[in-house]
Amino acid sequence: GCRLRTQATYFKFFAFRAHHFDVVLHADLDLCFWGRSPEQVLAELPADVDFLPRVGVEKHGMFNSALFAARPSESTFGALARRAAEGGYAPYTNSEQDVLNAHFQDGLAG
């Protein structure tokens, strides 16, 4: 069946439930790495940053969530799941990316 226009998936949110790690790197399976190792990128994540997308801004001024670093947080996971369930986001891609953009847009502006 086809997903409704305002139903995001939740897979990427589970990065915020990986409490046995200080920082989690999420990478979509269609990405390739060369050059600096992902471990170096994680080590350079500023202490005051809880979420950092690494791919860039696309259309509609949204970041791409194919690659991001996150600090696990049960409250962030809960807020993302609530936003997804309640439809508190603009459905541009019909994916977790829309919800992540809506949730983190203020903290990433500038």
Side-chain angles (χ1 to χ4, degrees):
C2 140
R3 252 192 332 229
L4 295 176
R5 181 150 172 77
T6 57
Q7 280 189 314
T9 55
Y10 289 63
F11 180 75
K12 293 180 183 179
F13 304 163
F14 285 94
F16 295 93
R17 279 202 155 163
H19 300 294
H20 43 286
F21 297 102
D22 294 329
V23 181
V24 174
L25 181 69
H26 167 85
D28 284 357
L29 292 175
D30 61 348
L31 295 180
C32 294
F33 292 92
W34 64 90
R36 292 177 0 147
S37 73
E39 291 83 7
Q40 289 174 321
V41 174
L42 290 177
E44 295 170 4
L45 185 69
D48 61 339
V49 174
D50 292 328
F51 178 82
L52 184 65
R54 301 297 294 181
V55 176
V57 175
E58 296 186 337
K59 62 183 177 180
H60 309 294
M62 297 172 63
F63 60 82
N64 186 313
S65 65
L67 178 65
F68 65 84
R71 294 193 191 283
S73 162
E74 192 63 36
S75 64
T76 300
F77 174 84
L80 290 167
R82 275 190 304 282
R83 185 182 291 270
E86 295 168 1
Y89 60 93
Y92 292 114
T93 65
N94 281 338
S95 70
E96 313 95 317
Q97 181 169 300
D98 298 334
V99 180
L100 290 166
N101 269 277
H103 185 79
F104 291 108
Q105 67 185 352
D106 294 335
L108 298 175

